[in-house]
Amino acid sequence: MRKSFRKPDGDELLVLDGVDLSLREGEIVGLLGRSGSGKSTLLRLIAGLSVPVAGSIRYLGQPVTGPPPGIAMVFQSFALFPWLTVLQNVQLGLEALALPPGEIRRRALGAIDLIGLDGFESAYPRELSGGMRQRVGFARALVVHPNILLMDEPFSALDVLTAETLRTDFLDLWSEGQLPLKGVILVSHNIEEAVLMCDRILVLGSNPGRILNEIKIELPHPRARLDPHFRDLVESIYVEMTSQRSTGLAGKRSDRLPGSGLGTILPLVSSNLLAGLLEAIAGSPYNGNADLPVIAASLQMEIDELFPVAETLQMLRFVDVAGGDIRITTEGRQFSDAATDERKRLFAQHLLTHVALSAHIRRVLDERPSHRAPWSRFSDELEDHMSPDAAEQTLRAIVDLGRYAEVFAYDDQAHAFSLDNP
Ligand code: ADP
Ligand code: MG
């Protein structure tokens, strides 16, 4: 299956290519990939909300041409109507089924009860916590008694504890056969979540999105995150995702490290984290060479949160990432040992040398008599290479990096880059 979008300039943005997958009865299948790898797009295709440009989707042997009644979806953003009560939001799921009013109410109450929302029928979404809101999202999906549930990062907008409670509640209901479901597809960018919940994980690569690998998870439920087998699986998937990234991003030019050209999508990371991770790697007990999952645990971060930080440090040549290891470079150690001013100087130097976009922005500002340039000057340019969302993210990332390095300034109100402070 292939999916592309038409960019505003008329070019094609290829998002998914050669994707082939199936969901069998009784399975939870995970789609694991980085942001932008096309996971949501794939889910929308399966749900019949969008059509592929080549290939097809079949549900129970029939081609999918619109949303099939047996497939329901849960969204990261909950997607509740604020002016409707919990009961009304859940009943909305049944609107298309044209059931008698009594039956609608009975089924909605059943779903509300099942998912642990009993007593909240007449509450409005704003009165609920994030976790309770997502329970409404689940109830609204389950109330139609779907065969297949599609979940698009349903736990990622929740705090850690709430997310874990909801995951285990869902898994309990699933294992006890209480859910009216035959199969589940879970989209996630969180490796641990995928290993915790799925029978099979499909790892997606980016640009264009494609399936890199399929991993069967044969651990019995309930799964324990600290179980050595669990850790091994997380680690091996992690290694696979990082090695794919360091070779994948750099493209065929194996002599070049990732992340230098103007077309490179930059991740958003905080400069505190960049310095923090470097210091952690440089210091004891790692002394310059660390296992990323281990260091993630010691910083109390999810591995996935460290990905973009490690990627940015690698782009700046402050570290090398290979397999699951992260190693500090000579320059990285210099940075880590330096005081604030020297750090800024080193950072600026590496930024301008290794990240083409920063040098480009700086050059444009230097050349203009006003030393100012609007956001749109660069976003238009980036959109020749990437989607508007990716261009926005990339520019926001470079604003953060440029500010930290003091190589240019950005005025949020005027939406303009300038050389005001440096
Ligand atoms: P993920 O869910 O893995 O983060 P998405 O499926 O949301 O990824 O997006 C994959 C790529 O497709 C991104 O580059 C995104 O900007 C682009 N994209 C998604 N939907 C559209 C659309 N409707 N029009 C144009 N580009 C899109
Ligand atoms: Mg998505």
Side-chain angles (χ1 to χ4, degrees):
M1 193 169 54
R2 184 213 306 260
K3 177 72 183 176
S4 58
F5 294 105
R6 177 95 27 219
K7 289 195 280 184
D9 63 7
D11 282 356
E12 232 185 43
L13 177 71
L14 183 60
V15 173
L16 294 169
D17 198 16
V19 172
D20 187 1
L21 66 110
S22 56
L23 176 67
R24 294 184 279 267
E25 186 162 345
E27 278 189 318
I28 302 183
V29 169
L31 301 178
L32 182 66
R34 306 178 58 209
S35 168
S37 56
K39 304 180 297 296
S40 296
T41 303
L42 181 52
L43 216 58
R44 291 175 54 80
L45 289 168
I46 298 170
L49 296 168
S50 169
V51 284
V53 293
S56 63
I57 295 107
R58 291 177 160 271
Y59 169 58
L60 301 176
Q62 299 299 313
V64 170
T65 51
I71 301 185
M73 205 150 158
V74 178
F75 303 91
Q76 174 181 2
S77 61
F78 319 144
L80 304 181
F81 292 97
W83 59 87
L84 299 181
T85 63
V86 167
L87 180 63
Q88 289 165 333
N89 265 291
V90 174
Q91 285 179 343
L92 217 57
L94 290 170
E95 215 166 46
L97 298 190
L99 300 169
E103 174 68 6
I104 289 182
R105 193 181 161 80
R106 199 184 60 73
R107 273 179 55 176
L109 291 174
I112 286 171
D113 196 19
L114 178 70
I115 210 73
L117 279 168
D118 215 6
F120 289 89
E121 291 83 356
S122 56
Y124 287 90
R126 65 168 180 278
E127 301 173 75
L128 304 178
S129 66
M132 294 304 264
R133 284 183 208 172
Q134 190 57 303
R135 284 180 196 267
V136 182
F138 274 100
R140 189 187 46 198
L142 294 171
V143 74
V144 300
H145 297 177
N147 278 322
I148 297 179
L149 185 65
L150 306 177
M151 307 203 268
D152 194 353
E153 311 210 19
F155 311 109
S156 60
L158 306 173
D159 66 76
V160 178
L161 285 179
T162 306
E164 194 68 354
T165 309
L166 212 49
R167 285 185 197 110
T168 34
D169 283 359
F170 180 86
L171 281 175
D172 287 348
L173 291 170
W174 167 259
S175 335
E176 291 162 7
Q178 294 204 51
L179 298 176
L181 291 173
K182 299 249 166 40
V184 177
I185 298 183
L186 169 71
V187 159
S188 177
H189 67 268
N190 181 320
I191 300 174
E192 299 223 357
E193 171 177 293
V195 174
L196 186 79
M197 299 191 68
C198 300
D199 300 299
R200 203 149 56 88
I201 297 176
L202 303 174
V203 179
L204 262 67
S206 309
N207 297 319
R210 62 207 183 282
I211 295 173
L212 297 174
N213 197 5
E214 173 185 314
I215 296 142
K216 289 205 166 51
I217 312 290
E218 280 164 342
L219 305 172
H221 286 280
R223 294 174 181 165
R225 286 176 186 263
L226 295 178
D227 167 20
H229 296 300
F230 191 104
R231 302 306 330 156
D232 287 350
L233 277 163
V234 170
E235 165 101 27
S236 68
I237 296 173
Y238 168 76
V239 166
E240 179 163 357
M241 288 175 81
T242 40
S243 58
Q244 181 257 329
R245 138 185 336 216
S246 39
T247 50
L249 270 181
K252 284 94 220 155
R253 298 160 303 174
S254 54
D255 54 331
R256 301 239 351 229
L257 283 164
S260 40
L262 260 197
T264 306
I265 301 174
L266 300 178
L268 273 172
V269 296
S270 102
S271 40
N272 285 335
L273 276 181
L274 292 173
L277 180 59
L278 267 183
E279 281 167 20
I281 300 165
S284 73
Y286 309 111
N287 294 319
N289 194 353
D291 188 53
L292 261 180
V294 172
I295 209 160
S298 77
L299 294 171
Q300 302 198 326
M301 291 174 69
E302 301 255 352
I303 287 173
D304 311 79
E305 294 175 79
L306 267 194
F307 270 159
V309 186
E311 191 176 354
T312 303
L313 287 175
Q314 161 146 303
M315 194 169 67
L316 294 167
R317 311 294 198 270
F318 286 135
V319 300
D320 280 322
V321 181
D325 288 342
I326 183 164
R327 197 164 351 103
I328 200 161
T329 60
T330 315
E331 292 91 342
R333 189 170 288 286
Q334 260 175 357
F335 176 94
S336 157
D337 291 344
T340 314
D341 283 356
E342 173 65 4
R343 278 188 174 192
K344 290 227 180 230
R345 197 192 61 74
L346 271 172
F347 198 89
Q349 185 198 334
H350 279 243
L351 186 63
L352 291 168
T353 313
H354 300 299
V355 182
L357 179 59
S358 67
H360 175 61
I361 293 175
R362 179 65 196 232
R363 196 160 46 238
V364 168
L365 296 174
D366 280 337
E367 280 167 6
R368 288 190 169 199
S370 63
H371 300 310
R372 292 176 74 80
W375 170 279
S376 56
R377 161 73 179 73
F378 302 108
S379 60
D380 286 351
E381 212 170 356
L382 288 181
E383 284 177 24
D384 291 340
H385 304 277
M386 57 186 79
S387 72
D389 285 353
E392 157 123 30
Q393 175 191 308
T394 299
L395 266 189
R396 288 213 287 137
I398 207 73
V399 164
D400 288 349
L401 294 170
R403 276 176 172 162
Y404 177 68
E406 295 182 12
V407 297
F408 46 73
Y410 182 73
D411 180 339
D412 287 304
Q413 246 121 53
H415 302 289
F417 290 86
S418 72
L419 292 182
D420 285 349
N421 295 325

